[in-house]
Amino acid sequence: MGAGTLDFMTDAAPASGVRARVAVLAVHPVVLWGAFVLVHLVLGLICLTAPSLPMGDVTLVYAFWMHQGLDADIWVGIDTAWVYPLLAIVPMAASAAFGWTFYASTWLTLVMAIDAAAFAVLLQRGRPDRATAPVAWWWLAFLLAVGPVALGRIDSFATAVAIMGVLVIVGRPLLGSVLLTIGAWIKVWPAALVAGAVIALRSRVTVATAAVATTVVVLLIGLILGGGTGLFSFVTQQSGRGLQIESPLATVAMWMAWAGEGTSIYYDRDILTYQLQGPGVDLAASLSTPLLALAVVAIAVLGIVGARRRREPAVLLPPLLLALTSVLILFNKVGSPQFAGWLAVPVIFGLVTALIDGGRSFRVPATLALMIGVLTQIVYPYFYGKLLWLDTVLLIALTARNILYLVLVAWAIVALVEAVRSEPEHL
């Protein structure tokens, strides 16, 4: 077993009596899959019944877009500009298969199905059989920590596909790259995972070729359906956004608004989000993109140095993927709550690599991600209204969450630097 093995379910921790029976049950497929179904049913019930409308984007926005397409033959991303890449249409349109009355429940069923595929890949990754059960339990705990938004956004599909991609990309780089690229054409951020794999894997030519080929296929489909420049509109649609209140970059401005220092919250009816206005806000929003670009380039350079020093993928790739993913959140001017769900991908990969291939322990980022999830759920959806009124307790929770994002980025960068500088056996 690797250095990152989770202690509570390993041969290294002898157990007897009740503890032994619990350990056996915890790795039993029926128990694991039963827990998987239960977690999704609980979160799905919250999605459908919570008065705070955690599925508002699905039932109000996504359904509206699909109404336009199916009823008026005006398709976002093809006939009009859109904030999402083309393949995001697929789950949105598929959710209308049983009519608009069941749109939300069909959506949740599809999320559960794609998550089940990722869960199955995760459990089969283990050697010996079911050795990755502790990671599966972590993922279920993380879903509960993040809450209903983990199921109620388009990010749910991109995340599940990306989990499958990272779990297979070392052994099957072509398949892994295709899956990650599909994820990127649902929601852009998995493209960073493709870049990380190109940097860290020796099969980088295969990864890059598969990514380009998959992109070409998606674009050809878009062109056949009548798309043009709108196929790339997701790149430009985000550029004019202001500073969203949940963004880590908005933390200081939110406290200025709380103190009555000239900053205030307003609702942007074009983007459909709550944003900030006031002194320094536009500057912070304008700095977001260059800061993000600089951070990604710096991390990529570190990864390239590690690759040139021939560091093993089990050593280099986990902190590289975590660093790339976490900076995309830290320096993002949007900062939507569902972004927390992205962390499942690099953390699951890191935990599995530590467990199976002897990579660096990922207990710290796994714990930080759970804490980020809990704080995210406290803010959204249950008490989001209080945040809009600048409630002190909610601001403290949001600030703590944003600080944890910073800590996670710092941990990932330190781990990446150590991976680059140290010999594998010294990690």
Side-chain angles (χ1 to χ4, degrees):
M1 289 293 178
T5 304
L6 303 186
D7 292 335
F8 66 94
M9 248 182 278
T10 67
D11 295 335
S16 61
V18 174
R19 187 179 176 187
R21 288 192 291 272
V22 169
V24 171
L25 284 174
V27 299
H28 196 284
V30 173
V31 175
L32 282 163
W33 282 104
F36 172 88
V37 171
L38 181 61
V39 166
H40 281 77
L41 289 178
V42 168
L43 292 178
L45 183 63
I46 297 171
C47 282
L48 294 173
T49 61
S52 52
L53 293 178
M55 283 191 74
D57 279 25
V58 175
T59 57
L60 300 178
V61 182
Y62 302 169
F64 170 75
W65 286 331
M66 295 307 102
H67 264 295
Q68 273 191 325
L70 294 169
D71 298 342
D73 199 28
I74 301 173
W75 292 96
V76 288
I78 297 174
D79 302 307
T80 66
W82 200 27
V83 295
Y84 295 129
L86 181 62
L87 293 185
I89 292 177
V90 176
M92 293 181 189
S95 296
F98 299 102
W100 302 111
T101 302
F102 302 103
Y103 189 86
S105 55
T106 304
W107 174 275
L108 291 170
T109 303
L110 292 174
V111 172
M112 186 173 177
I114 194 73
D115 277 358
F119 200 68
V121 172
L122 172 58
L123 292 180
Q124 291 300 315
R125 175 70 172 83
R127 299 190 308 267
D129 190 27
R130 298 189 300 278
T132 52
V135 187
W137 283 111
W138 178 89
W139 186 24
L140 296 180
F142 182 69
L143 288 173
L144 288 174
V146 175
V149 76
L151 307 186
R153 295 292 188 274
I154 190 63
D155 305 65
S156 308
F157 291 93
T159 298
V161 173
I163 287 172
M164 290 185 277
V166 296
L167 288 174
V168 303
I169 197 163
V170 175
R172 303 179 67 181
L174 190 150
L175 176 61
S177 180
V178 169
L179 287 169
L180 290 177
T181 307
I182 289 172
W185 275 98
I186 298 173
K187 191 74 184 279
V188 179
W189 70 270
L193 306 178
V194 178
V198 169
I199 291 169
L201 297 182
R202 288 161 194 165
S203 53
R204 58 183 58 88
V205 173
T206 300
V207 173
T209 303
V212 171
T214 305
T215 296
V216 169
V217 170
V218 172
L219 291 175
L220 284 174
I221 292 171
L223 291 172
I224 292 169
L225 293 174
T229 57
L231 295 172
F232 298 98
S233 59
F234 64 90
V235 178
T236 58
Q237 285 291 298
Q238 301 286 348
S239 60
R241 296 185 72 147
L243 192 62
Q244 191 168 315
I245 63 173
E246 302 104 303
S247 168
L249 293 175
T251 304
V252 174
M254 285 291 284
W255 281 107
M256 288 177 64
W258 174 84
E261 295 295 329
T263 304
S264 61
I265 297 172
Y266 73 99
Y267 186 69
D268 188 306
R269 296 190 178 278
D270 293 326
I271 304 296
L272 305 178
T273 58
Y274 287 96
Q275 300 183 160
L276 287 159
Q277 57 187 0
V281 170
D282 289 341
L283 177 62
S286 64
L287 288 176
S288 170
T289 300
L291 283 174
L292 180 57
L294 285 172
V296 168
V297 169
I299 290 167
V301 169
L302 277 174
I304 290 169
V305 172
R308 289 180 63 85
R309 293 182 178 181
R310 304 189 65 80
R311 297 297 181 253
E312 291 297 322
V315 172
L316 183 62
L317 192 55
L320 177 59
L321 296 189
L322 179 63
L324 288 170
T325 303
S326 54
V327 297
L328 289 180
I329 302 173
L330 183 66
F331 294 115
N332 200 311
K333 61 184 175 182
V334 179
S336 297
Q338 63 267 24
F339 289 6
W342 302 357
L343 297 177
V345 181
V347 171
I348 286 173
F349 179 70
L351 289 172
V352 169
T353 303
L355 188 66
I356 303 300
D357 299 321
R360 184 190 183 102
S361 170
F362 249 62
R363 291 190 190 96
V364 171
T367 302
L368 289 172
L370 288 173
M371 295 168 65
I372 287 169
V374 169
L375 289 169
T376 297
Q377 185 173 182
I378 289 173
V379 173
Y380 184 91
Y382 308 115
F383 303 109
Y384 195 69
K386 288 189 175 183
L387 179 64
L388 297 178
W389 288 101
L390 299 171
D391 178 84
T392 304
V393 174
L394 265 294
L395 266 178
I396 291 172
L398 181 63
T399 302
R401 194 279 307 266
N402 291 341
I403 290 172
L404 288 179
Y405 274 133
L406 178 61
V407 173
L408 186 62
V409 168
W411 187 95
I413 291 174
V414 169
L416 181 58
V417 170
E418 290 181 357
V420 171
R421 295 180 62 183
S422 304
E423 294 299 328
E425 62 267 25
H426 293 159
L427 292 177

